[in-house]
Amino acid sequence: DGKLKRAAVLLFYRNPQRLFTGCYVKIGRFGIGSDLQYQDVVEGSLILIADRVVDLIYLKYLKAKITYENDVRVETYPFAREAVREAVYNALIHCKWEDGIPIQIRIEDEAMYISNACVFPSDWTTENLMKTHNSKPYNPDLANTFFRAGYIESWGRGIQKICEECNLIGAKIPEYSILGDDITVKFAAVTNNKDFNRTNDVRKEKSVNIKVLELITAQTDISLRPSVIAVIVAVSLGLALRPAAAKFILPCPDADRK
């Protein structure tokens, strides 16, 4: 009939609260008990605020422990970023927005809680969530848009990915609880550096940079063009090549003999 659907307003309208009360995300840092230390409210279209929420959590609400390995800085956070990202996206997509209740993220030293209103499938339980299951989004238009935008995969394996990411840093499997129309996921913090199996990408990026510098330094033929050197580095490190650089790759000498 030419009218916008509710999903279109939630996804793309910069101020969806004009039409839907409670369409925002609350983030709070808590001390002991009910001690609220500071908080933020993230508003806007769901497409815009999705990454903002995750970035804000890690930039303002969490502290990374810094260590050094081979003179390279290593940052370790108490919660797996990819797991938190997946949980935030799940909350945004599956939230029962018509209830007018915002998504609430409570962050403590020992745990993080992400809660949202939901309509749970009648034949599902919190135990079933931890097993392989089909994707049954409460808001299919939201889920389909996030899928087409490349943010999610829409295979019903989001919780499986969350558990895998928690395992990678040595954290406990997250706990899900349902109370009425609310669902909450609890992440336990990793406080011991020895429990971390994977670190922040800072070390990975540094190690690649060092390898690149070593390969460039090893090139004694100064007549080589930069584009040719780039190909040599990419092939040596197993990195992807841009189509424009592929013409500089020489055919294998043995190719014609096979």
Side-chain angles (χ1 to χ4, degrees):
D1 58 1
K3 296 182 180 179
L4 291 176
K5 299 176 69 173
R6 180 180 65 222
V9 176
L10 292 171
L11 285 164
F12 304 113
Y13 188 36
R14 291 185 177 272
N15 187 18
Q17 278 206 90
R18 290 185 59 184
L19 300 175
F20 300 101
T21 303
C23 183
Y24 58 91
V25 178
K26 291 175 60 178
I27 308 174
R29 176 72 187 190
F30 286 80
I32 299 175
S34 60
D35 177 26
L36 176 61
Q37 298 176 345
Y38 52 90
Q39 65 178 349
D40 282 285
V41 174
V42 184
E43 300 176 304
S45 66
L46 299 188
I47 286 290
L48 289 179
I49 70 174
D51 285 333
R52 291 179 184 174
V53 171
V54 180
D55 290 339
L56 182 60
I57 290 174
Y58 280 83
L59 290 174
K60 182 176 180 179
Y61 286 83
L62 299 179
K63 295 180 180 179
K65 292 186 177 181
I66 297 178
T67 56
Y68 289 86
E69 295 184 12
N70 299 324
D71 297 329
V72 177
R73 187 181 76 253
V74 178
E75 299 176 357
T76 51
Y77 285 92
F79 305 100
R81 184 184 178 97
E82 290 302 315
V84 172
R85 175 193 178 277
E86 190 71 27
V88 169
Y89 274 66
N90 282 347
L92 291 170
I93 293 170
H94 301 296
C95 183
K96 188 181 178 185
W97 291 110
E98 60 266 32
D99 282 0
I101 302 174
I103 294 172
Q104 301 179 31
I105 302 176
R106 177 185 177 121
I107 301 174
E108 303 173 356
D109 288 337
E110 303 297 330
M112 179 189 303
Y113 302 85
I114 301 177
S115 305
N116 64 275
C118 73
V119 176
F120 213 59
S122 58
D123 55 341
W124 283 20
T125 64
T126 53
E127 290 77 15
N128 293 339
L129 280 177
M130 312 306 291
K131 303 176 182 178
T132 302
H133 57 269
N134 293 331
S135 176
K136 294 183 179 180
Y138 174 68
N139 301 306
D141 290 332
L142 298 185
N144 187 51
T145 302
F146 273 86
F147 165 71
R148 293 185 178 277
Y151 290 118
I152 63 172
E153 296 180 3
S154 190
W155 273 98
R157 66 187 192 102
I159 295 179
Q160 181 181 355
K161 291 173 60 179
I162 290 174
C163 295
E164 291 173 352
E165 292 296 329
C166 290
N167 282 329
L168 284 175
I169 67 168
K172 296 180 180 179
I173 298 299
E175 301 175 7
Y176 283 84
S177 59
I178 299 176
L179 180 61
D181 290 337
D182 294 330
I183 184 170
T184 300
V185 54
K186 174 186 175 182
F187 291 96
V190 176
T191 56
N192 188 352
N193 281 344
K194 294 181 180 180
D195 293 336
F196 283 91
N197 297 322
R198 190 181 66 177
T199 59
N200 194 12
D201 289 339
V202 172
R203 181 173 61 179
K204 184 188 300 183
E205 293 172 359
K206 287 287 186 178
S207 62
V208 172
N209 290 340
I210 292 173
K211 291 180 180 178
V212 170
L213 290 175
E214 291 175 349
L215 288 170
I216 294 176
T217 305
Q219 300 303 317
T220 58
D221 187 354
I222 61 175
S223 64
L224 291 178
R225 285 183 291 176
S227 54
V228 176
I229 295 178
V231 171
I232 294 174
V233 171
V235 172
S236 300
L237 297 180
L239 303 176
L241 286 172
R242 295 182 179 179
K247 62 182 179 180
F248 294 106
I249 299 180
L250 297 177
C252 177
D254 298 331
D256 297 333
R257 302 178 185 176
K258 297 181 179 180

